[in-house]
Amino acid sequence: MEDDAYEEVPLNLSLAIMANPGGEKINRKRKRRVPLPSSYEGCEGKIFKLLQVREEMLKLDYKRKGVVEDGKALHLIHLLLITATSVDENNVNSALDNLTQLYQSVSLMGDSVQRVVAYFADGLVARLLTRKSPFYDMIMKEPTAEEEFLAFTCLYRVSPYYQFAHFTANQAIIEAYEKEEEFNNRALHVIDFDVAYGFQWPSLIQSLSEKASGGNRISLRLTGFGTSFAELQETENRLVSFAKGFRNLVFEFQGLLRGSKLTNLRKKKNETVAVNLVFHLNTLNNSMKISDTLKSVRSHRPSMVVLVEQEGGRSPRSFLSRFMESLHYFAAMFDSLDDCLPLESAERLSIEKNHLGKEIKSMINCDKDEENNKSISRYEKMETWKSRMESHGFEGTKLSSKCLIQAKLLLKITTHYCPLQCEGEVNGGFRVFERDEAKALSLGWQDRCLLTASAWQCV
């Protein structure tokens, strides 16, 4: 019926502005063909103007290329927050005016503030529109699988972000294996809940191979969950091919579609079992799914569970609190790229558009995506994850000094454009620091924590 209400709008474009993202009461009112409320008058022209200004911003970036002065950067952030408030309060006219002003001031080729504000503006525009709007898909257009994969690999290579997560997790897994080496028959079984093309595992394969002597081969079995058979097949081919270069290691891969039950797992006698929960739990749509996953993990009594999650503070009851947390987090992520790539880098533009930008727009519209059972990242505080783990029968275990030393070394070899700051300083650059009595290790940018790694054992 919503479409019927908009058939009487001039130009018949079904712009479908959402006055209430939750929408129940509004939908009931629109069951009859009635004139649009007065608050919508003039919106069609404002939307066209907004989209025209956005198009000019995308095509004429060079006119606003450069670094924004501090005062103007603060003005952009202030205007963005005012706009988010207008969207939250369903003040459509004010939101459209502010968004138009934002698009006139930002650039995807500008400094990190301009860039991140541009993607947040896109997210707010999409939130004003329903999925039936002809412009919603244009704003929320997702990158192709190839573009997304390329952006991920670029970020993986140039930034310590994903490497910190994977190397810290692998070090904890290796140490769990070493503790049981006398009775585990030199067998390690890793269960990875999000194998994501297997980027994490070549370094583990190499490290285990270095531990194996000529006559005592180590067996590594990897059970990995993926989003498609094609992804799992590609992952298996890549890892099997890599492992062939290490003759003192026996490698096996078993792929499972995400959502499959952990049943009938092939297990060797006394093997060390480690569960890898790296960037997985935060993608589950509700607390019940997280709880079910942790119960399933505990039922297999693993020797070690490694948890790595982005640091945030998502409040499902408040759009503005979620928006503020997301802005702080992604502003730090965009700013951190200054430490890795120059502003004009094509790789940086790819990372921002096809990886970080996509996440920003999804985060702002996550309530819409959850209604369609789409996986959305939830960034929460370390303390929240700690409470969840403990309530499901796990206790934290200290990460060794090797994890900290390795992480510091990683920062030295993966940052290029800004000088590495001394430990404890918060005025520039990446840094690593221990938390929770060395039971957790965090990667931060300046004074903002980006992600945290921790290790857990069954009580």
Side-chain angles (χ1 to χ4, degrees):
M1 291 296 180
E2 194 169 292
D3 282 344
D4 290 341
Y6 281 96
E7 284 176 4
E8 299 178 15
V9 175
L11 301 180
N12 191 26
L13 284 174
S14 299
L15 296 176
I17 301 173
M18 179 177 280
N20 180 2
E24 256 184 74
K25 292 183 179 179
I26 297 296
N27 286 338
R28 285 198 295 269
K29 289 180 181 178
R30 290 179 183 170
K31 287 183 179 179
R32 293 181 294 111
R33 294 170 65 94
V34 295
L36 292 174
S38 59
S39 60
Y40 286 82
E41 290 180 4
C43 285
E44 294 78 23
K46 287 188 176 183
I47 288 179
F48 280 120
K49 180 181 177 181
L50 171 68
L51 295 174
Q52 287 173 346
V53 172
R54 179 181 183 271
E55 190 68 17
E56 290 172 4
M57 183 271 291
L58 295 175
K59 291 181 177 179
L60 303 175
D61 271 335
Y62 64 87
K63 288 189 175 181
R64 289 192 287 269
K65 182 178 177 181
V67 177
V68 175
E69 297 174 9
D70 287 343
K72 292 183 179 179
L74 291 175
H75 171 72
L76 280 179
I77 298 298
H78 180 65
L79 182 58
L80 180 65
L81 295 178
I82 291 175
T83 307
T85 302
S86 296
V87 172
D88 189 46
E89 294 174 350
N90 303 316
N91 189 339
V92 178
N93 279 284
S94 175
L96 292 174
D97 289 340
N98 291 332
L99 283 165
T100 299
Q101 188 176 344
L102 280 173
Y103 280 135
Q104 290 171 334
S105 305
V106 299
S107 166
L108 299 182
M109 292 290 288
D111 76 344
S112 60
V113 175
Q114 287 182 313
R115 297 179 184 206
V116 75
V117 170
Y119 287 109
F120 271 89
D122 273 356
L124 289 175
V125 172
R127 190 170 179 83
L128 283 175
L129 304 172
T130 70
R131 291 183 176 276
K132 294 181 180 180
S133 165
F135 303 115
Y136 180 87
D137 289 339
M138 179 184 73
I139 298 291
M140 293 293 287
K141 181 181 178 182
E142 294 197 357
T144 65
E146 183 179 354
E147 289 172 335
E148 194 170 357
F149 180 74
L150 180 61
F152 175 83
T153 56
C154 287
L155 183 59
Y156 195 99
R157 180 173 55 81
V158 304
S159 169
Y161 185 81
Y162 284 113
Q163 293 185 52
F164 166 84
H166 290 170
F167 290 169
T168 303
N170 286 353
Q171 182 62 36
I173 291 171
I174 289 173
E175 291 172 12
Y177 168 85
E178 290 174 339
K179 287 180 182 179
E180 301 179 358
E181 203 165 3
E182 291 185 4
F183 57 85
N184 64 12
N185 296 322
R186 303 179 69 78
L188 171 63
H189 185 178
V190 178
I191 303 171
D192 185 1
F193 274 75
D194 190 358
V195 74
Y197 295 99
F199 276 70
Q200 178 173 346
W201 304 118
S203 64
L204 180 67
I205 291 172
Q206 185 171 356
S207 296
L208 288 175
S209 177
E210 292 170 355
K211 288 179 56 63
S213 59
N216 291 301
R217 303 168 80 189
I218 291 178
S219 169
L220 171 61
R221 185 194 306 270
L222 175 61
T223 298
F225 288 84
T227 57
S228 67
F229 285 115
E231 176 191 315
L232 291 170
Q233 188 62 60
E234 184 177 343
T235 300
E236 180 176 12
N237 293 342
R238 182 184 295 112
L239 293 178
V240 168
S241 176
F242 181 81
K244 285 181 179 178
F246 304 92
R247 295 186 178 181
N248 51 359
L249 183 83
V250 179
F251 176 75
E252 296 179 63
F253 179 85
Q254 179 184 7
L256 297 173
L257 283 178
R258 188 170 179 177
S260 302
K261 299 293 183 181
L262 267 178
T263 55
N264 300 321
L265 284 179
R266 294 172 295 166
K267 295 180 67 175
K268 293 184 178 180
K269 185 178 180 181
N270 297 329
E271 68 180 3
T272 296
V273 178
V275 172
N276 193 65
L277 295 174
V278 175
F279 305 133
H280 173 69
L281 293 182
N282 70 357
T283 66
L284 301 180
N285 286 351
N286 55 59
S287 298
M288 184 64 70
K289 290 184 178 181
I290 294 174
S291 180
D292 290 344
T293 299
L294 292 177
K295 289 176 182 178
S296 174
V297 168
R298 193 176 186 280
S299 70
H300 288 81
R301 304 295 299 179
S303 303
M304 174 70 69
V305 177
V306 182
L307 175 68
V308 183
E309 290 294 355
Q310 292 95 335
E311 189 85 8
R314 184 181 186 273
S315 172
R317 289 189 292 264
S318 170
F319 166 72
L320 284 179
S321 63
R322 184 173 77 241
F323 186 91
M324 287 290 293
E325 278 292 334
S326 299
L327 179 58
H328 288 151
Y329 179 86
F330 284 104
M333 284 295 294
F334 273 69
D335 198 28
S336 74
L337 291 178
D338 288 341
D339 217 25
C340 309
L341 291 168
L343 286 170
E344 64 274 13
S345 166
E347 289 183 328
R348 178 167 178 169
L349 295 175
S350 171
I351 292 169
E352 291 169 343
K353 177 183 178 182
N354 298 323
H355 188 71
L356 300 179
K358 176 194 172 188
E359 286 194 24
I360 288 171
K361 290 184 283 187
S362 294
M363 186 74 74
I364 294 174
N365 294 279
C366 66
D367 42 5
K368 292 183 181 181
D369 289 319
E370 286 173 346
E371 290 172 3
N372 291 272
N373 295 317
K374 185 176 180 181
S375 177
I376 298 298
S377 296
R378 300 169 177 266
Y379 300 168
E380 301 189 33
K381 295 291 185 184
M382 179 195 76
E383 292 77 11
T384 302
W385 293 115
K386 178 181 178 181
S387 176
R388 281 200 179 106
M389 295 297 289
E390 290 176 344
S391 67
H392 285 82
F394 297 97
E395 63 178 359
T397 181
K398 284 190 175 183
L399 295 170
S400 73
S401 59
K402 289 182 180 179
C403 291
L404 180 61
I405 294 170
Q406 177 180 259
K408 289 183 175 180
L409 178 61
L410 175 65
L411 297 194
K412 291 181 180 180
I413 63 177
T414 57
T415 55
H416 308 286
Y417 291 93
C418 295
L420 187 67
Q421 302 297 314
C422 297
E423 182 181 1
E425 292 187 3
V426 295
N427 59 344
F430 286 103
R431 63 193 186 101
V432 293
F433 50 96
E434 294 178 319
R435 299 167 70 185
D436 193 23
E437 300 178 336
K439 294 178 182 177
L441 187 63
S442 293
L443 174 71
W445 172 258
Q446 298 185 8
D447 59 348
R448 174 75 194 193
C449 183
L450 297 177
L451 66 158
T452 299
S454 54
W456 302 84
Q457 294 177 331
C458 296
V459 177

